[in-house]
Amino acid sequence: MKLARDTWLVFQQEAGLMVRNPVMVAFSLAQPITYLVLFAPFLKVVMVDRGASSYADAYRIYVPGLFVAMGLFGGLFAGYGLLSALRAGIIDRCRVTPISRTALLLGRALMHVCLNVVQAVVVTLVALPFGLRVHLANLLVSYALLGVMVLLSTSISYDIALLVRNENSLGVLVNTVGQPISLLAGVLIPLVLAPMWIQRVALWNPFAWATDGMRALFAGQIVQTVVWQGALIMVGLAAASLLWSSHLFNREVS
């Protein structure tokens, strides 16, 4: 109960800071909306042999992949904020309070989850005029899956940040790891168009399973095995990564 209360307090503080900076929130939507408007229509031609006979089909294929890209990169850069808070002494000042140290980390992570889900809602609304249609229940499940993905990528970013403790090194590692993971997840173009060896390598990428599950949800196939498989993989990895992040964080501020 104390952990939940403390997490909520930290989340409120971080969310308040985010709300007071609407320009940053608006600019963070620029890239996903640009890809939505300028890249997604290409899939109508590329995927015509795979059943994408209209722009609505193209957006139904692309938007789930865009969600995964947002969940991956939206969390991987969260480590910058943690390093900034550590250097500014914010974490040290919180140490003298009775607030849980784990809550200091979890509340920040949940702020990133909230931000990315809000961005996903905006992207969904922008895609509606282009023909995107998805059942509400499936859409809500996809938002929940996105939230778990953000939690995983955020905790990974915290892990890296607490290990390297340097913004430059963090940026290099995040870009080095993030790009191949996103490409092997098929966030831009479905992996069914990739060579067989790439599809086999992608089987080891947990975000590829999440992408397949997300696309199944948008296709109205909520009962497909790949949906719960992707969800279980994300939940398991997020829990493990959060535990490791908490261990590193508690050691850092002890």
Side-chain angles (χ1 to χ4, degrees):
M1 181 62 69
K2 182 180 185 301
L3 176 61
R5 184 182 68 250
D6 290 349
T7 300
W8 174 246
L9 290 174
V10 175
F11 170 77
Q12 284 183 307
Q13 170 67 19
E14 294 297 318
L17 294 174
M18 178 185 67
V19 170
R20 287 195 289 271
N21 192 6
V23 175
M24 183 275 292
V25 177
F27 273 106
S28 67
L29 280 165
Q31 188 174 40
I33 291 179
T34 298
Y35 272 89
L36 184 73
V37 175
L38 300 181
F39 181 83
F42 284 88
L43 291 182
K44 179 179 180 294
V45 177
V46 175
M47 298 291 294
V48 66
D49 295 332
R50 301 283 179 171
S53 58
S54 65
Y55 285 115
D57 294 331
Y59 279 93
R60 192 174 64 248
I61 294 170
Y62 182 70
V63 171
L66 182 59
F67 280 5
V68 175
M70 292 165 58
L72 176 61
F73 289 102
L76 282 180
F77 288 95
Y80 285 102
L82 180 61
L83 287 176
S84 176
L86 285 169
R87 285 209 170 88
I90 297 174
I91 303 299
D92 287 335
R93 289 195 292 272
C94 290
R95 287 174 58 192
V96 300
T97 69
I99 196 167
S100 166
R101 292 176 181 177
T102 300
L104 290 173
L105 199 68
L106 189 56
R108 290 174 174 273
L110 289 178
M111 184 277 291
H112 290 283
V113 171
C114 179
L115 174 61
N116 279 269
V117 171
V118 170
Q119 290 175 334
V121 172
V122 174
V123 168
T124 304
L125 294 175
V126 172
L128 290 178
F130 294 98
L132 176 67
R133 296 295 181 270
V134 57
H135 194 278
L136 179 60
N138 294 17
L139 184 62
L140 293 177
V141 174
S142 71
Y143 290 156
L145 181 56
L146 170 62
V148 178
M149 279 189 282
V150 177
L151 205 57
L152 171 59
S153 59
T154 299
S155 61
I156 291 174
S157 181
Y158 288 163
D159 293 339
I160 297 174
L162 291 170
L163 289 172
V164 301
R165 303 180 188 180
N166 179 276
E167 286 84 351
N168 293 330
S169 299
L170 175 62
V172 171
L173 287 171
V174 162
N175 284 299
T176 301
V177 172
Q179 289 294 341
I181 288 178
S182 64
L183 292 174
L184 286 173
V187 298
L188 293 176
I189 299 176
L191 291 173
V192 294
L193 299 177
M196 186 55 64
W197 70 269
I198 291 183
Q199 295 185 37
R200 288 171 179 167
V201 173
L203 291 175
W204 296 92
N205 180 6
F207 285 91
W209 291 85
T211 304
D212 290 341
M214 193 78 79
R215 287 199 169 110
L217 287 169
F218 273 68
Q221 301 169 349
I222 194 171
V223 297
Q224 285 291 318
T225 304
V226 70
V227 175
W228 64 262
Q229 285 177 334
L232 285 177
I233 290 172
M234 288 291 105
V235 169
L237 289 177
S241 186
L242 281 170
L243 286 174
W244 180 242
S245 298
S246 179
H247 168 72
L248 292 175
F249 186 72
N250 288 333
R251 186 181 67 181
E252 171 72 20
V253 301
S254 61

